[in-house]
Amino acid sequence: MTKKIGLLVMAYGTPYKEADIEAYYTDIRRGKKPTDAELQDLKDRYQFIGGLSPLAGTTNRQAEALRDALNDVYTNVEFKLYIGLKHIHPFIEDAVKAMYEDGIEEAVTVVLAPHYSSFSVGSYNTRAVKEADKYGIQFYHVEHYYQQPKFIQYWTERINETLAGIPKTEHDETVLVVSAHSLPKGLIEKNNDPYPKELHHTAELLRAHSNIIHVAEGWQSEGNTGTPWLGPDVQDLTRNLYHEYGYKNYIYTPVGFVCEHLEVLYDNDYECKVVCDELGVNYFRPTMPDTNPLFIGAIVDEIKNVY
Ligand code: FEC
């Protein structure tokens, strides 16, 4: 009989309907309700991308693809999937409790975010462990997978495809903007958090593997907390690159995210595009990993290191 083990896939979560937006936003702000103006601003951004985010459906498809890939690779165990979200139901704690109710004793945990920060992947894991400790479930954590060859190959292929659509004579006037979600700078520095180094390493690997000549690193989607966040912000970076080097083509690779959602569809495809239009330069944003087999394979390969 094959042993059944849990696969806990954790992700950010998104409102399922407009009426969920306020509670979701309140949860993101650790219980502090947004003002009417803040809430309206968020509703307007969702409206702009079509009403709601595609994230809920994509998270489910990614998690199912990962489970199926793992069950193809591992012959001695069967992975049973549990999805736990950070800011909306099913919450991380609900998923861990469901594992216990199903008699799961061991589980691999994965966050749908490729880089480690104690404030992102670390905080998902802490919540999962706190709940699992109640039931004695043993976890094997994936902490990151940005460095996996298949992850780098995925983005390298997308970059080279995008470059193939730009005249060769303009390749020296083209820049790759490699970005991840910003986080409050003070917290990252105080804790010597690996997050900025991991983004830098990703940019270096993409520079080494792809045909791109110029690479810049930036941060995006920062919150409104009144304190400094990791920068430069991708919009400011675009302006600076244009004024300093006069690049004509900007390829945005938000490698800190794994699929299309509000932060990509609005912060890249609208906000960065507006800056590009203002400067009279070309905006490119290659396809996100979603359920691409290279992306799913990268996570499988990292899981092989931990279980
Ligand atoms: O498509 C969707 O509906 C959801 C897209 C979404 C993703 C996402 C990923 C990350 N966040 C991270 C950190 C923060 C911090 C704050 C913060 C705020 C928001 C707000 C929305 C939102 N985030 Fe998010 N994030 C997504 C959506 N995020 C909406 C609230 C309005 C706004 O600021 O735009 C600030 C909290 C505060 O105010 O104190 C910090 C990080 C990630 C990437 C890792 C991960 O996926 O967990 C880090 C997707």
Side-chain angles (χ1 to χ4, degrees):
M1 213 175 76
T2 51
K3 182 170 151 192
K4 212 172 248 190
I5 82 150
L7 170 66
L8 175 60
V9 176
M10 294 180 277
Y12 206 79
T14 184
Y16 299 103
K17 52 187 187 306
E18 203 200 319
D20 294 336
I21 297 179
E22 184 170 4
Y24 171 74
Y25 200 176
T26 305
D27 192 88
I28 289 178
R29 291 160 51 108
R30 294 165 304 279
K32 188 169 159 256
K33 267 193 173 204
T35 62
D36 288 348
E38 287 168 333
L39 182 60
Q40 194 52 51
D41 175 68
L42 182 56
K43 284 186 174 173
D44 289 347
R45 278 184 278 147
Y46 279 113
Q47 210 49 51
F48 187 85
I49 65 160
L52 288 169
S53 168
L55 184 61
T58 313
T59 295
N60 291 345
R61 284 188 292 105
Q62 289 178 310
E64 285 160 11
L66 179 61
R67 175 206 52 206
D68 294 347
L70 285 168
N71 283 332
D72 282 346
V73 170
Y74 283 78
T75 47
N76 54 335
V77 290
E78 186 195 334
F79 286 87
K80 183 163 166 51
L81 174 63
Y82 297 84
I83 295 177
L85 306 176
K86 198 173 191 183
H87 296 300
I88 200 161
H89 62 86
F91 287 102
I92 294 167
E93 292 76 11
D94 302 332
V96 177
K97 188 161 182 246
M99 276 187 191
Y100 165 70
E101 286 165 356
D102 289 349
I104 297 287
E105 291 170 356
E106 281 188 328
V108 168
T109 78
V110 180
V111 179
L112 291 177
H115 303 90
Y116 183 86
S117 164
S118 46
F119 303 98
S120 66
V121 173
S123 74
Y124 286 86
N125 289 347
T126 304
R127 277 175 60 179
V129 167
K130 194 170 169 215
E131 187 68 16
D133 282 350
K134 293 186 192 166
Y135 315 118
I137 301 173
Q138 162 87 38
F139 278 156
Y140 300 86
H141 300 293
V142 164
E143 305 227 303
H144 57 202
Y145 39 87
Y146 78 91
Q147 81 300 0
Q148 276 294 337
K150 286 177 187 158
F151 182 81
I152 298 301
Q153 191 190 336
Y154 172 82
W155 279 111
T156 297
E157 287 180 4
R158 299 295 81 72
I159 294 163
N160 288 347
E161 268 166 24
T162 310
L163 277 172
I166 297 173
K168 256 217 153 80
T169 49
E170 288 183 18
H171 284 194
D172 198 27
E173 294 167 292
T174 300
V175 62
L176 178 73
V177 177
V178 180
S179 63
H181 199 295
S182 186
L183 281 169
K185 201 171 175 211
L187 289 177
I188 294 288
E189 284 173 357
K190 197 170 117 207
N191 293 282
N192 198 16
D193 195 276
Y195 193 57
K197 283 189 212 96
E198 293 199 353
L199 183 70
H200 177 63
H201 189 202
T202 313
E204 287 303 305
L205 288 168
L206 295 178
R207 185 202 297 279
H209 287 83
S210 75
N211 300 329
I212 194 80
I213 302 171
H214 305 292
V215 179
E217 293 161 44
W219 299 93
Q220 64 178 89
S221 318
E222 75 173 46
N224 221 341
T225 52
T227 53
W229 285 57
L230 293 173
D233 179 82
V234 282
Q235 288 171 273
D236 299 335
L237 177 64
T238 305
R239 288 197 184 87
N240 295 345
L241 289 168
Y242 177 76
H243 292 304
E244 202 162 326
Y245 304 104
Y247 295 133
K248 271 191 189 161
N249 303 302
Y250 294 72
I251 306 177
Y252 294 85
T253 49
V255 296
F257 299 127
V258 298
C259 61
E260 288 191 351
H261 49 59
L262 185 68
E263 312 296 68
V264 173
L265 297 172
Y266 192 87
D267 299 356
N268 293 107
D269 292 355
Y270 174 67
E271 290 186 337
C272 290
K273 171 122 188 347
V274 165
V275 177
C276 286
D277 289 349
E278 197 184 287
L279 299 171
V281 297
N282 299 313
Y283 173 90
F284 299 89
R285 199 266 300 159
T287 316
M288 298 298 289
D290 207 284
T291 54
N292 184 287
L294 283 172
F295 169 62
I296 299 296
I299 308 181
V300 170
D301 289 347
E302 189 68 33
I303 289 176
K304 286 195 224 148
N305 292 335
V306 303
Y307 187 80

